[in-house]
Structures are given as structure tokens and as C-alpha cells.
Amino acid sequence: MTILSANKVYKSYGNKFNKQEVLKAIDLHIEKGEFVSIMGPSGSGKTTLLNVLSSIDKVSVGSIMIEGAELTTMKEKQLAAFRKQHLGFIFQEYNLLDTLTVKENILLPLTIVKISKKAAQHQFEALAKELGIFEVKDKYPNEISGGQKQRTSAARAFIHEPSIIFADEPTGALDSKSASDLLNKLSDLNNKRKSTIVMVTHDMAAASFSNRVIFIKDGQIYSQLTKGGQTRQQFYQDILKTQGVLGGVHHDH
């Protein structure tokens, strides 16, 4: 079942005298339960694509549908309500509130939905244990490691059981061990909870945790790889090859 579809999406900045086209005719479909990575060279449009798919930014032309709802025609108020209910976000910089404990940060999205205290506690415990941060639940962000902060951020994104989790370079600020821990946990949550994850990354090792990798170049989809029955190591080698070609492709402007 398709959970997200983008059709003929264009995004440009500036005015008619000085226009920069960042996304050009993007067609993209993501199935429920997929873990998809978006990769591409610096300036390729991958973060802009994530931003328009997740409604953080508006498309210039085109259609984006999530769970059958057309995002591009929604007013700001409708979009805000849709985001709260259907979308989860993990950012590179954690975006945790320093004045709240780990537990309070994670429970934040549930404060605006109708859910009993008991159910909220149950959801919190299950997630915090799965992500290995239950023991630090009463600590504040400045008392925990970067890896624990990012797993707290991930728990906050998953807590209200959104339709899609959008992750923007979630391992960008982490050392390789913390990055690997986080990605293993995200992969587990994707498998166990059938959560749909769309992640922008420049890290080939990170991308190898996903089921499919979409490569963007010059604002267009350049190619895609699907993991299928491959091991993570084999998939990593495939990504490496494609990334090598992608880095070596030059278009005349």
C-alpha cells in the first residue's frame, strides 16, 4: 500500500529574474513499512526534497499525498494538525528541550492527543526500552551522551505512532558507534512496528540499513537501489558503486 506519493514535484527559489530550480519533475512513491534513504551530492536537492515531502516547505508545482491526503492544498492550520497526527521528525541537532527530562521530551507529542496517562506510560516504557534509554529517563539532555540524545529524539518521533518518520541526517552529529546503535534501533523499529521511515543521509553505511536508496542529482532522481535479499554488507557495496558513479557524473550547465 502506497503511503506517500509525490507527482511532478518542482521546487524553485527566487523570482522570475533570478530563479533557482532545486527540484525538477520528481516522481516518488513510498510503500507503507518501507525504510527509504535519500542520497546525493551536496547541493543535489535531497534536503529540499525531504522538506517538501514532510510539509516543512511548500512545493512550487506538483502534488504530494500522504495517507490519501493532499498536502499541497492544505492551509497552514490544517497542515499543522496533520503533522502532529501523522508525521514524526528526527533532526541532526536533536532539538530536545533542555528544561525537560528525557521522559518529558519523549512524551511531548502525546500532550496534544487524547490518550490516557496509563497508555502514554505504557508507550513510553516500551519505546524507551527498545531504544535503550529507559535508564536515563529522569536525566536532562545536558546529562546524557549525543547517542542517547538522538535516541531520545527518535523515541519522541515514534511515540504517537505516526504514519511516517522523516529523518534528516540523523547520524550527522554522532560518532560511528553511536550512529550504528541508532540505525540498528531504527531498523528494529521499522521491522517490529512496520513504521515507515524516510531518511536523508550522505553516509553510505547509514543508507545500507534501509530497504531502498533513492539517489538524487541536480534536483532529479538519478537512480534507485533495492536491498531485496542482500545482506547489509552486499547492499553497502552496491551503494558504494552507485555513489562512485554519481560522484563522477558531470553535466554541462
Side-chain angles (χ1 to χ4, degrees), residues 170-207:
T171 60
L174 303 179
D175 61 62
S176 58
K177 188 191 177 305
S178 300
S180 185
D181 282 351
L182 175 74
L183 290 157
N184 271 311
K185 299 278 194 265
L186 288 182
S187 187
D188 287 348
L189 287 169
N190 168 249
N191 289 324
K192 281 185 206 158
R193 294 172 176 244
K194 297 289 170 266
S195 307
T196 309
I197 303 172
V198 179
M199 172 174 80
V200 160
T201 184
H202 67 276
D203 182 354
M204 291 178 283

Side-chain angles (χ1 to χ4, degrees), residues 4-10 24-30 49 53 62-63 212 214 216 219-221 224:
L4 183 155
S5 61
N7 294 299
K8 298 285 175 282
V9 166
Y10 289 82
K24 306 160 195 167
I26 295 271
D27 281 325
L28 178 63
H29 301 281
I30 289 166
L49 178 59
L53 292 178
S63 154
R212 179 160 61 112
I214 296 167
I216 302 269
Q220 294 175 306
I221 291 178
Q224 300 191 39

